PDB file of all heavy atoms in Angstrom:
ATOM      1  N   PHE A 373     -25.292  -8.301  79.168  1.00  0.00           N
ATOM      2  CA  PHE A 373     -24.102  -7.544  79.548  1.00  0.00           C
ATOM      3  C   PHE A 373     -24.405  -6.147  80.078  1.00  0.00           C
ATOM      4  O   PHE A 373     -23.494  -5.422  80.459  1.00  0.00           O
ATOM      5  CB  PHE A 373     -23.141  -7.456  78.357  1.00  0.00           C
ATOM      6  CG  PHE A 373     -22.477  -8.769  78.035  1.00  0.00           C
ATOM      7  CD1 PHE A 373     -22.837  -9.487  76.908  1.00  0.00           C
ATOM      8  CD2 PHE A 373     -21.521  -9.299  78.880  1.00  0.00           C
ATOM      9  CE1 PHE A 373     -22.234 -10.691  76.607  1.00  0.00           C
ATOM     10  CE2 PHE A 373     -20.909 -10.511  78.593  1.00  0.00           C
ATOM     11  CZ  PHE A 373     -21.276 -11.220  77.458  1.00  0.00           C
ATOM     12  N   THR A 374     -25.688  -5.769  80.105  1.00  0.00           N
ATOM     13  CA  THR A 374     -26.082  -4.545  80.813  1.00  0.00           C
ATOM     14  C   THR A 374     -26.710  -4.875  82.163  1.00  0.00           C
ATOM     15  O   THR A 374     -27.259  -3.988  82.829  1.00  0.00           O
ATOM     16  CB  THR A 374     -27.082  -3.726  79.968  1.00  0.00           C
ATOM     17  OG1 THR A 374     -28.215  -4.553  79.646  1.00  0.00           O
ATOM     18  CG2 THR A 374     -26.433  -3.201  78.701  1.00  0.00           C
ATOM     19  N   THR A 377     -25.278  -2.778  84.944  1.00  0.00           N
ATOM     20  CA  THR A 377     -25.206  -1.343  84.680  1.00  0.00           C
ATOM     21  C   THR A 377     -26.412  -0.659  85.298  1.00  0.00           C
ATOM     22  O   THR A 377     -27.562  -1.102  85.095  1.00  0.00           O
ATOM     23  CB  THR A 377     -25.182  -1.070  83.160  1.00  0.00           C
ATOM     24  OG1 THR A 377     -24.067  -1.779  82.592  1.00  0.00           O
ATOM     25  CG2 THR A 377     -25.050   0.416  82.874  1.00  0.00           C
ATOM     26  N   ASP A 399     -25.152  -1.135  73.194  1.00  0.00           N
ATOM     27  CA  ASP A 399     -25.541  -1.055  74.619  1.00  0.00           C
ATOM     28  C   ASP A 399     -24.444  -0.330  75.373  1.00  0.00           C
ATOM     29  O   ASP A 399     -23.356  -0.080  74.844  1.00  0.00           O
ATOM     30  CB  ASP A 399     -25.771  -2.462  75.188  1.00  0.00           C
ATOM     31  CG  ASP A 399     -24.515  -3.316  75.155  1.00  0.00           C
ATOM     32  OD1 ASP A 399     -23.585  -3.054  75.948  1.00  0.00           O
ATOM     33  OD2 ASP A 399     -24.447  -4.252  74.312  1.00  0.00           O
ATOM     34  N   ASN A 400     -24.716  -0.012  76.615  1.00  0.00           N
ATOM     35  CA  ASN A 400     -23.739   0.657  77.473  1.00  0.00           C
ATOM     36  C   ASN A 400     -23.314  -0.239  78.624  1.00  0.00           C
ATOM     37  O   ASN A 400     -23.078   0.215  79.740  1.00  0.00           O
ATOM     38  CB  ASN A 400     -24.298   1.973  78.021  1.00  0.00           C
ATOM     39  CG  ASN A 400     -25.541   1.763  78.869  1.00  0.00           C
ATOM     40  OD1 ASN A 400     -26.129   0.673  78.864  1.00  0.00           O
ATOM     41  ND2 ASN A 400     -25.958   2.780  79.616  1.00  0.00           N
ATOM     42  N   GLY A 401     -23.227  -1.555  78.312  1.00  0.00           N
ATOM     43  CA  GLY A 401     -22.929  -2.534  79.345  1.00  0.00           C
ATOM     44  C   GLY A 401     -21.449  -2.744  79.584  1.00  0.00           C
ATOM     45  O   GLY A 401     -20.635  -1.816  79.494  1.00  0.00           O
ATOM     46  N   ALA A 402     -21.090  -4.013  79.821  1.00  0.00           N
ATOM     47  CA  ALA A 402     -19.728  -4.346  80.239  1.00  0.00           C
ATOM     48  C   ALA A 402     -18.705  -4.138  79.133  1.00  0.00           C
ATOM     49  O   ALA A 402     -17.538  -3.821  79.397  1.00  0.00           O
ATOM     50  CB  ALA A 402     -19.675  -5.799  80.716  1.00  0.00           C
ATOM     51  N   GLY A 403     -19.115  -4.304  77.870  1.00  0.00           N
ATOM     52  CA  GLY A 403     -18.176  -4.150  76.769  1.00  0.00           C
ATOM     53  C   GLY A 403     -17.098  -5.212  76.797  1.00  0.00           C
ATOM     54  O   GLY A 403     -17.191  -6.225  77.501  1.00  0.00           O
ATOM     55  N   PHE A 404     -16.033  -4.999  76.031  1.00  0.00           N
ATOM     56  CA  PHE A 404     -14.910  -5.928  76.024  1.00  0.00           C
ATOM     57  C   PHE A 404     -13.692  -5.206  75.446  1.00  0.00           C
ATOM     58  O   PHE A 404     -13.789  -4.127  74.866  1.00  0.00           O
ATOM     59  CB  PHE A 404     -15.209  -7.197  75.220  1.00  0.00           C
ATOM     60  CG  PHE A 404     -15.605  -6.935  73.789  1.00  0.00           C
ATOM     61  CD1 PHE A 404     -14.653  -6.829  72.788  1.00  0.00           C
ATOM     62  CD2 PHE A 404     -16.947  -6.793  73.452  1.00  0.00           C
ATOM     63  CE1 PHE A 404     -15.014  -6.587  71.478  1.00  0.00           C
ATOM     64  CE2 PHE A 404     -17.320  -6.545  72.141  1.00  0.00           C
ATOM     65  CZ  PHE A 404     -16.352  -6.443  71.154  1.00  0.00           C
ATOM     66  N   HIS A 420     -15.660 -13.079  78.813  1.00  0.00           N
ATOM     67  CA  HIS A 420     -15.963 -12.837  80.236  1.00  0.00           C
ATOM     68  C   HIS A 420     -16.113 -14.183  80.936  1.00  0.00           C
ATOM     69  O   HIS A 420     -16.498 -15.180  80.314  1.00  0.00           O
ATOM     70  CB  HIS A 420     -17.257 -12.023  80.403  1.00  0.00           C
ATOM     71  CG  HIS A 420     -17.200 -10.670  79.757  1.00  0.00           C
ATOM     72  ND1 HIS A 420     -17.477 -10.465  78.431  1.00  0.00           N
ATOM     73  CD2 HIS A 420     -16.875  -9.453  80.273  1.00  0.00           C
ATOM     74  CE1 HIS A 420     -17.346  -9.178  78.143  1.00  0.00           C
ATOM     75  NE2 HIS A 420     -16.982  -8.546  79.248  1.00  0.00           N
ATOM     76  N   PHE A 425     -20.946 -13.502  83.709  1.00  0.00           N
ATOM     77  CA  PHE A 425     -22.018 -13.455  82.697  1.00  0.00           C
ATOM     78  C   PHE A 425     -22.153 -14.851  82.118  1.00  0.00           C
ATOM     79  O   PHE A 425     -21.344 -15.267  81.296  1.00  0.00           O
ATOM     80  CB  PHE A 425     -21.690 -12.447  81.582  1.00  0.00           C
ATOM     81  CG  PHE A 425     -21.549 -11.034  82.089  1.00  0.00           C
ATOM     82  CD1 PHE A 425     -20.288 -10.494  82.312  1.00  0.00           C
ATOM     83  CD2 PHE A 425     -22.673 -10.259  82.332  1.00  0.00           C
ATOM     84  CE1 PHE A 425     -20.151  -9.203  82.780  1.00  0.00           C
ATOM     85  CE2 PHE A 425     -22.532  -8.964  82.801  1.00  0.00           C
ATOM     86  CZ  PHE A 425     -21.269  -8.432  83.020  1.00  0.00           C
ATOM     87  N   SER A 451     -15.611  -0.971  74.084  1.00  0.00           N
ATOM     88  CA  SER A 451     -14.625  -0.484  75.034  1.00  0.00           C
ATOM     89  C   SER A 451     -14.954  -1.113  76.375  1.00  0.00           C
ATOM     90  O   SER A 451     -16.133  -1.168  76.769  1.00  0.00           O
ATOM     91  CB  SER A 451     -14.670   1.046  75.111  1.00  0.00           C
ATOM     92  OG  SER A 451     -13.740   1.526  76.072  1.00  0.00           O
ATOM     93  N   LEU A 452     -13.944  -1.602  77.055  1.00  0.00           N
ATOM     94  CA  LEU A 452     -14.164  -2.316  78.297  1.00  0.00           C
ATOM     95  C   LEU A 452     -14.836  -1.390  79.322  1.00  0.00           C
ATOM     96  O   LEU A 452     -14.333  -0.304  79.629  1.00  0.00           O
ATOM     97  CB  LEU A 452     -12.834  -2.833  78.844  1.00  0.00           C
ATOM     98  CG  LEU A 452     -12.918  -3.851  79.980  1.00  0.00           C
ATOM     99  CD1 LEU A 452     -13.664  -5.094  79.532  1.00  0.00           C
ATOM    100  CD2 LEU A 452     -11.520  -4.220  80.468  1.00  0.00           C
ATOM    101  N   GLY A 453     -16.013  -1.826  79.803  1.00  0.00           N
ATOM    102  CA  GLY A 453     -16.763  -1.058  80.788  1.00  0.00           C
ATOM    103  C   GLY A 453     -17.628   0.041  80.198  1.00  0.00           C
ATOM    104  O   GLY A 453     -18.334   0.733  80.950  1.00  0.00           O
ATOM    105  N   ARG A 454     -17.618   0.223  78.871  1.00  0.00           N
ATOM    106  CA  ARG A 454     -18.388   1.309  78.252  1.00  0.00           C
ATOM    107  C   ARG A 454     -19.359   0.810  77.186  1.00  0.00           C
ATOM    108  O   ARG A 454     -19.884   1.587  76.396  1.00  0.00           O
ATOM    109  CB  ARG A 454     -17.454   2.338  77.629  1.00  0.00           C
ATOM    110  CG  ARG A 454     -16.572   3.034  78.659  1.00  0.00           C
ATOM    111  CD  ARG A 454     -15.737   4.106  78.010  1.00  0.00           C
ATOM    112  NE  ARG A 454     -14.919   4.811  78.982  1.00  0.00           N
ATOM    113  CZ  ARG A 454     -14.088   5.809  78.682  1.00  0.00           C
ATOM    114  NH1 ARG A 454     -13.977   6.214  77.413  1.00  0.00           N
ATOM    115  NH2 ARG A 454     -13.374   6.392  79.633  1.00  0.00           N
ATOM    116  N   GLY A 455     -19.575  -0.477  77.119  1.00  0.00           N
ATOM    117  CA  GLY A 455     -20.560  -1.011  76.201  1.00  0.00           C
ATOM    118  C   GLY A 455     -19.962  -1.513  74.892  1.00  0.00           C
ATOM    119  O   GLY A 455     -18.758  -1.418  74.652  1.00  0.00           O
ATOM    120  N   ALA A 456     -20.851  -2.055  74.072  1.00  0.00           N
ATOM    121  CA  ALA A 456     -20.429  -2.645  72.788  1.00  0.00           C
ATOM    122  C   ALA A 456     -21.492  -2.355  71.737  1.00  0.00           C
ATOM    123  O   ALA A 456     -22.677  -2.165  72.047  1.00  0.00           O
ATOM    124  CB  ALA A 456     -20.210  -4.146  72.929  1.00  0.00           C
TER     125      ALA A 456
END
Side-chain angles (χ1 to χ4, degrees):
F373 289 108
T374 56
T377 303
D399 62 72
N400 61 347
F404 57 88
H420 300 85
F425 299 100
S451 178
L452 193 60
R454 297 184 178 180

